[in-house]
Amino acid sequence: MEHHGLWQQISASNSYRYHDHRIHWMSNDRPAVVAQDPSRPHLIKNWTIGLLVDGTPVTVAGTLSWAPSGSVAPYWFLGSLCVVLAIAFAVVMVVEDRRNKAINGGPRPKKDAMEVWEDLHRRVP
């Protein structure tokens, strides 16, 4: 007598997710083809898994591929640019405040960021 295992219903749904270790890379090391050139996409292997669906044999097929990640350089550049612009804007506001104090002889009502921006654009030819 063959023993096919005991099945237990876990859901009334008509779908189920299953993680099969035969269809992904299990090693901590990269596949040899990827280790040679990790900057390009590679086909690691084609795979098939045989199943029974309502007593009918079926085959699920797929591929395991390597897709290199993109460069993070553009994000570092944009982040650095934002930091530089924020510092430059803060310096302009401090200089503007000191200039106004020197010209007016005392404290002046604070400008919001939009007013400083508009003043800067009025001065630029």
Side-chain angles (χ1 to χ4, degrees):
M1 179 173 157
E2 288 186 13
H3 185 301
H4 294 288
L6 299 174
W7 289 87
Q8 180 179 2
Q9 183 172 346
I10 59 171
S11 171
S13 173
N14 61 357
S15 66
Y16 181 73
R17 290 186 183 182
Y18 175 72
H19 181 87
D20 194 316
H21 290 281
R22 295 174 290 177
I23 63 174
H24 69 94
W25 190 254
M26 291 293 297
S27 174
N28 288 333
D29 298 325
R30 291 180 172 177
V33 67
V34 173
Q36 290 173 3
D37 187 4
S39 66
R40 295 187 38 213
H42 297 284
L43 171 66
I44 307 304
K45 71 177 182 176
N46 292 308
W47 55 262
T48 59
I49 303 285
L51 302 173
L52 281 177
V53 177
D54 292 331
T56 304
V58 296
T59 301
V60 180
T63 60
L64 177 61
S65 301
W66 169 265
S69 60
S71 172
V72 295
Y75 300 104
W76 276 103
F77 173 75
L78 289 175
S80 300
L81 181 62
C82 289
V83 168
V84 168
L85 289 175
I87 291 170
F89 193 72
V91 168
V92 166
M93 291 191 68
V94 168
V95 169
E96 177 79 7
D97 189 52
R98 287 183 181 172
R99 187 183 69 79
N100 286 331
K101 284 180 184 176
I103 291 172
N104 298 327
R108 188 182 130 157
K110 294 286 183 192
K111 290 183 178 184
D112 65 16
M114 197 63 196
E115 290 172 320
V116 172
W117 181 258
E118 289 168 354
D119 286 350
L120 287 173
H121 276 43
R122 276 189 227 123
R123 288 191 214 134
V124 176

